[in-house]
Amino acid sequence: MVKVLAVLYKGGKHALEEPRLLGTTENELGLREWLESQGHHYIVIDDKDGSNSVFEKHLVDTEILITTPFHPAYLSKERMAKAKNLKLCVTAGIGSDHINLDAANEYKITVAEVTGSNVVSVAEHVVMTILILIRNFIPAHEQIVAGDWDVAAAARREYDLEGKVVATVGAGRIGTRVLRRLKPFDCKELLYFDYQPMNPEAEKEIGCRRINDLEEMLSLADVVTINCPLHEKTKGLFNKQLISKMKKGAYLVNTARGAICVKEDIAEAMNRGHLSGYGGDVWYPQPAPKDHPWRTMPFNAMTPHVSGTSIDAQKRYAEGTKRIIDRYFKGVEQDDADVIVTGGQYSSAAYGQRSKASVGGTLKM
């Protein structure tokens, strides 16, 4: 018998009314019947923080841990040291930065995630957020809810996306899809910053251009979207100094990881008007505390971490989680694309996430 522990978020009445909300504690990624039919022990919880949490209690004898980026259970080296039986950590989704990967290597714990499960969902969310910000949608909508009607108040900050310069920091699976979806908007330019260029055919098809220097790209862009992984070289990348290189009045969208941006510096830039808008769905920590400055800063388009957990994405990452665990049970090698660390080493799929970065043009994605 294998003990499988899943840390998911509570769906409440919504999960009961919509069984396709698979990422909830109520619907359990659809894994309970499958796991228990094979004699395994499946524990699903949401209490994850602190030394007295239910997570701490069950982790000590867990063999397989399932977590999500949306309600992350932060797996530190100290917690791993207590988890003597832990062999496999599965991220139901994309992004395993809530796990200390160096420690996972030290303890020979495999970390895997469902590569590709969220790319369409997040790319669509990015484009939606760009439009919401640049068209000043939220203040206009709030007028209607309040019973007001002031066209000038909304229109004074409303622009077309056509003719604007849009840039992505990171042009991997998500960043490339964002650029491709923006092509029909007839932007003035589509730019990207990445440690390696796209192939020439893709650049021509999308109509985008690579900029080797991050600060130069930021100085050109009306809209910047962050689509790079969080690691030691991108944590706090968008700080006061880097934000100052952006065009005054630019918009910033972050659906990558909240910790890539310094929250106080973003709020300060928004409050003094250097940034015209900030949107996205990622925070640090998660769930975001009630006093997080991004909740109340002006002209924000923030949501809970939902971009990668649409109903369609939940189906994909639930199926992928089952596939990874099934391979583990059968002793079958995991798909290379899904593995972050295994056998004490980083996989080739994780190379970009662990490579060194700098603002000068070598940021690794």
Side-chain angles (χ1 to χ4, degrees):
M1 180 190 77
V2 170
K3 181 175 179 179
V4 182
L5 175 63
V7 185
L8 306 175
Y9 61 89
K10 284 185 178 178
K13 67 176 184 178
H14 310 293
L16 299 177
E17 294 168 356
E18 177 48 85
R20 291 177 297 176
L21 278 170
L22 293 171
T24 61
T25 55
E26 292 81 2
N27 295 324
E28 305 177 316
L29 292 170
L31 296 177
R32 182 168 294 281
E33 183 179 348
W34 175 67
L35 287 169
E36 291 185 346
S37 69
Q38 300 178 71
H40 302 303
H41 189 33
Y42 188 38
I43 304 293
V44 179
I45 63 169
D46 76 300
D47 179 25
K48 62 187 179 65
D49 297 321
S51 58
N52 295 320
S53 65
V54 178
F55 176 56
E56 289 266 358
K57 173 186 173 183
H58 283 289
L59 184 62
V60 293
D61 59 348
T62 289
E63 184 169 335
I64 299 175
L65 174 65
I66 303 169
T67 57
T68 77
F70 319 107
H71 186 74
Y74 295 98
L75 188 59
S76 63
K77 182 175 182 178
E78 292 73 24
R79 282 177 158 173
M80 286 184 202
K82 301 174 186 176
K84 304 299 184 183
N85 295 339
L86 189 60
K87 300 292 190 298
L88 173 66
C89 295
V90 184
T91 299
I94 301 294
S96 299
D97 49 89
H98 54 285
I99 299 170
N100 185 324
L101 298 176
D102 289 334
N105 275 334
E106 181 179 335
Y107 287 104
K108 302 294 192 297
I109 297 168
T110 296
V111 179
E113 56 188 42
V114 189
T115 298
S117 61
N118 70 342
V119 292
V120 170
S121 309
V122 176
E124 289 183 358
H125 194 100
V126 171
V127 175
M128 175 189 72
T129 305
I130 290 172
L131 289 169
I132 283 173
L133 287 173
I134 205 165
R135 298 308 299 261
N136 203 31
F137 175 84
I138 291 175
H141 175 68
E142 288 174 344
Q143 276 191 30
I144 299 304
V145 174
D148 298 329
W149 189 282
D150 189 344
V151 172
R156 68 187 293 267
R157 295 179 62 92
E158 181 185 15
Y159 299 92
D160 295 337
L161 186 53
E162 182 176 316
K164 303 300 185 295
V165 177
V166 183
T168 175
V169 180
R173 294 182 180 92
I174 293 172
T176 301
R177 282 171 171 80
V178 169
L179 294 175
R180 185 169 282 116
R181 282 159 174 76
L182 290 173
K183 181 179 179 181
F185 287 92
D186 294 325
C187 297
K188 181 180 179 180
E189 273 199 294
L190 297 175
L191 307 176
Y192 73 95
F193 176 82
D194 201 298
Y195 77 104
Q196 63 182 7
M198 297 181 195
N199 65 61
E201 293 78 14
E203 281 194 356
K204 183 176 180 181
E205 174 207 343
I206 297 169
C208 60
R209 179 166 67 97
R210 182 187 182 213
I211 302 290
N212 291 323
D213 184 271
L214 178 57
E215 292 184 1
E216 178 188 353
M217 186 183 77
L218 297 181
S219 73
L220 299 172
D222 300 297
V223 180
V224 176
T225 170
I226 302 172
N227 298 292
C228 62
L230 173 67
H231 51 72
E232 65 274 10
K233 295 297 182 179
T234 59
K235 184 176 183 180
L237 176 65
F238 275 79
N239 56 19
K240 183 179 295 186
Q241 179 182 357
L242 189 61
I243 294 167
S244 72
K245 306 301 181 182
M246 298 177 67
K247 290 175 68 172
K248 180 174 172 55
Y251 301 86
L252 182 59
V253 176
N254 179 14
T255 55
R257 284 295 181 267
I260 293 173
C261 296
V262 177
K263 65 177 185 294
E264 296 85 1
D265 294 352
I266 293 291
E268 193 265 341
M270 289 283 285
N271 285 318
R272 66 183 172 86
H274 186 78
L275 292 177
S276 286
Y278 180 89
D281 71 323
V282 286
W283 310 71
Y284 184 79
Q286 292 189 169
K290 292 185 184 299
D291 63 350
H292 196 295
W294 295 355
R295 289 181 180 268
T296 54
M297 63 189 181
F299 304 107
N300 81 77
M302 294 301 297
T303 66
H305 194 170
V306 295
S307 67
T309 191
S310 65
I311 294 295
D312 299 295
Q314 289 187 49
K315 183 175 185 292
R316 291 191 291 268
Y317 67 65
E319 290 174 346
T321 298
K322 181 179 179 180
R323 180 183 68 248
I324 291 167
I325 294 173
D326 188 49
R327 283 176 172 264
Y328 174 79
F329 287 154
K330 293 176 178 176
V332 175
E333 194 171 323
Q334 301 289 345
D335 290 339
D336 288 342
D338 292 339
V339 177
I340 305 302
V341 302
T342 191
Q345 294 184 330
Y346 287 98
S347 70
S348 58
Y351 175 76
Q353 295 192 37
R354 305 302 300 175
S355 299
K356 293 184 178 181
S358 74
V359 173
T362 57
L363 181 64
K364 301 292 186 179
M365 302 305 157

